[in-house]
Amino acid sequence: MILSSRFALASDNIVSESFDGEFVVVDLTFGKYFSFSDSGNVIWQAVSSGLSAAELLGVDQSKNPLLAVSEVEAFVLRLLEAGLIVERADTEGAADGLADSLREQLQNAAEKPDIQVFDDLADLFLADPIHDVEEPAGWPVVRPT
Amino acid sequence: MKVSVIVPVYNRERYVGAALRSLVRQRDDADLDIIVVDDGSTDGTAQIIQQIMAEAACVRYVAQPNRGVTHARNAGLRLVPPEADLVTFLDSDDISTAGRFAQDLAHFKADPALDLTYGLMRLVDHIDDDQLAAAPGCEGITMRGVSLTTALFRQRAIAPLKGFDENFAQAEDLDFLLRLFERRPRYLLTDTVAILYRQHPDGMTKSAHEQMRRGVLQAVLRSAQRRKRDPSLGNIPPVFDMSALAGAPPKFDDC
């Protein structure tokens, strides 16, 4: 079921940014941040863009032994448990061609899907230079509590 | 103890004089070596610096074509003499508070193994540039932010970092601090208010904010990746404390 579900970022307080295909995700509510293995980056991009894991995997999952369906399923579950994504009710898909591109990247992955969680910079995120908001009066951006 | 203070400057004729005078007034507290790196200013910045140099031999000046603050800081680092015990920075629109060096140098004298002190900054909306102090009646916030200028670094502690990463257009200071703290330095959080940070009424432009946002996230990602690759690196200790900014409105206090 998880494999065929579509997801979205759980809230505006989940910030995801990509640098050359590598993602950092910040949960501004709890001050945690997350990084991924190479295959984890691909799966994160897929599910946060509206692709289901099943669409990402396609029909031939035998090309990369690191990518057992159970591993992908467990990874998506961890994303859900971490509060980074929520299941979407609508069924609108992702952009055309994204699945093909990501599928190719996934086949070349060298690491199992994995997520690293950090909470050592919570005090930094409190001052929130992360949110894309206006700074009207010259004082630092302050995240509403 | 010899302290090299790197001051990058670009078109700051209005403020750079006060910034440099705030350092020079402390030359009896430390053997100061003030390295001003002019990043291609086109206003009267150079003339103001020359006037101060005429009265203060501890100020050095180097000019370079405009290449950004990160490159300017690296240029300053390359000019730090081997005999400098400590290195710090000052932004050209901020004020180094009186007694800042006297207070924190004592910790280095007492503890030869100390790698850095990390003090406080006070954000204020008005600075008296004659008195080099917060203006009467101003509002301010004191916090332990992300700042190179509130730290005093033992030169030997930052040498392995090989300067600032010039791939960062913003948040190169955060990247620098994260790389340092991952190495598990011996540090001391002090209650020294090291600088007055000048809050400009026009604030940050939207594009600058977006650059800063990307820079912070990139620095955080790179730190996470380094620690994954090298388990000998440590997590970042709780050195940042911006709780004064939490809540709405922030906890301003009077000067």
Side-chain angles (χ1 to χ4, degrees):
Chain A
M1 189 62 190
I2 286 293
L3 289 176
S4 59
S5 298
R6 295 187 193 280
F7 302 94
L9 297 185
S11 77
D12 288 344
N13 276 342
I14 306 298
V15 175
S16 171
E17 197 81 13
S18 166
F19 298 92
D20 300 324
E22 296 173 310
F23 283 82
V24 58
V25 180
V26 180
D27 179 345
L28 293 171
T29 304
F30 296 105
K32 293 182 178 178
Y33 59 104
F34 305 81
S35 68
F36 307 110
S37 62
D38 60 356
S39 60
N41 277 309
V42 179
I43 299 170
W44 170 259
Q45 184 176 355
V47 299
S48 63
S49 302
L51 275 178
S52 70
E55 288 172 303
L56 174 67
L57 289 170
V59 291
D60 183 4
Q61 291 146 26
S62 61
K63 290 182 182 171
N64 189 332
L66 293 172
L67 294 172
V69 171
S70 59
E71 295 274 8
V72 176
E73 193 169 35
F75 179 78
V76 176
L77 276 172
R78 287 193 69 187
L79 299 178
L80 272 168
E81 288 164 4
L84 302 184
I85 53 174
V86 289
E87 205 164 340
R88 276 172 34 185
D90 61 292
T91 56
E92 190 178 337
D96 288 346
L98 183 63
D100 292 340
S101 162
L102 293 180
R103 206 176 290 136
E104 187 179 334
Q105 291 179 46
L106 199 57
Q107 295 296 352
N108 294 324
E111 301 166 328
K112 288 183 177 181
D114 196 13
I115 180 171
Q116 283 190 297
V117 187
F118 302 85
D119 61 0
D120 54 354
L121 290 175
D123 289 332
L124 173 69
F125 296 128
L126 185 64
D128 192 5
I130 307 299
H131 258 135
D132 184 18
V133 294
E134 293 289 353
E135 191 176 14
W139 292 96
V141 177
V142 180
R143 187 165 56 85
T145 54
Chain B
M1 300 180 90
K2 191 174 189 71
V3 184
S4 288
V5 186
I6 296 166
V7 185
V9 60
Y10 176 67
N11 285 350
R12 288 280 197 189
E13 63 181 1
R14 182 171 172 188
Y15 301 121
V16 68
L20 293 178
R21 284 187 289 111
S22 75
L23 290 170
V24 169
R25 67 176 163 170
Q26 299 180 75
R27 59 186 157 182
D28 291 339
D29 295 341
D31 179 9
L32 289 182
D33 166 39
I34 301 166
I35 304 169
V36 184
V37 182
D38 186 344
D39 192 36
S41 293
T42 55
D43 64 357
T45 292
Q47 288 72 30
I48 290 167
I49 297 167
Q50 301 291 346
Q51 288 168 12
I52 291 174
M53 289 175 69
E55 300 170 5
C58 60
V59 179
R60 291 193 276 158
Y61 175 79
V62 58
Q64 63 177 32
N66 180 249
R67 296 186 63 180
V69 67
T70 307
H71 190 275
R73 286 197 178 117
N74 277 339
L77 280 175
R78 286 191 289 272
L79 293 172
V80 173
E83 66 270 23
D85 304 286
L86 303 170
V87 178
T88 188
F89 301 82
L90 184 68
D91 291 345
S92 59
D93 57 342
D94 293 339
I95 297 292
S96 180
T97 55
R100 172 263 184 286
F101 291 104
Q103 282 175 262
D104 280 356
L105 282 180
H107 299 298
F108 289 95
K109 289 171 183 166
D111 181 359
L114 186 63
D115 289 318
L116 77 150
T117 55
Y118 200 72
L120 303 171
M121 61 198 303
R122 181 157 171 75
L123 289 69
V124 291
D125 58 357
H126 289 98
I127 291 176
D128 183 329
D129 286 325
D130 294 323
Q131 298 299 316
L132 305 177
C138 77
E139 287 189 322
I141 298 173
T142 301
M143 65 178 193
R144 203 177 305 280
V146 176
S147 172
L148 302 166
T149 59
T150 59
L152 273 177
F153 304 100
R154 191 88 73 170
Q155 184 175 190
R156 64 161 191 252
I158 60 172
L161 303 182
K162 302 189 186 309
F164 296 89
D165 184 342
E166 295 182 10
N167 292 313
F168 281 85
Q170 291 274 3
E172 78 290 342
D173 49 356
L174 175 62
D175 174 72
F176 184 89
L177 291 169
L178 294 182
R179 285 190 286 129
L180 177 59
F181 281 114
E182 288 162 16
R183 299 171 66 88
R184 308 174 193 270
R186 184 173 174 85
Y187 69 93
L188 181 67
L189 301 182
T190 70
D191 291 332
T192 305
V193 177
I195 63 154
L196 298 179
Y197 183 99
R198 193 186 305 264
Q199 285 297 130
H200 297 283
D202 47 350
M204 195 184 277
T205 64
K206 190 170 174 61
S207 64
H209 180 82
E210 174 57 20
Q211 263 198 336
M212 175 62 78
R213 174 183 173 279
R214 287 270 300 173
V216 167
L217 289 169
Q218 187 173 16
V220 168
L221 175 62
R222 297 293 176 246
S223 177
Q225 291 172 329
R226 281 191 298 273
R227 284 178 272 163
K228 180 184 174 186
R229 283 196 305 269
D230 183 354
S232 75
L233 297 176
N235 281 343
I236 309 303
V239 291
F240 306 119
D241 180 0
M242 303 183 185
S243 54
L245 292 175
K251 296 166 191 157
F252 295 111
D253 51 45
D254 296 333
C255 298

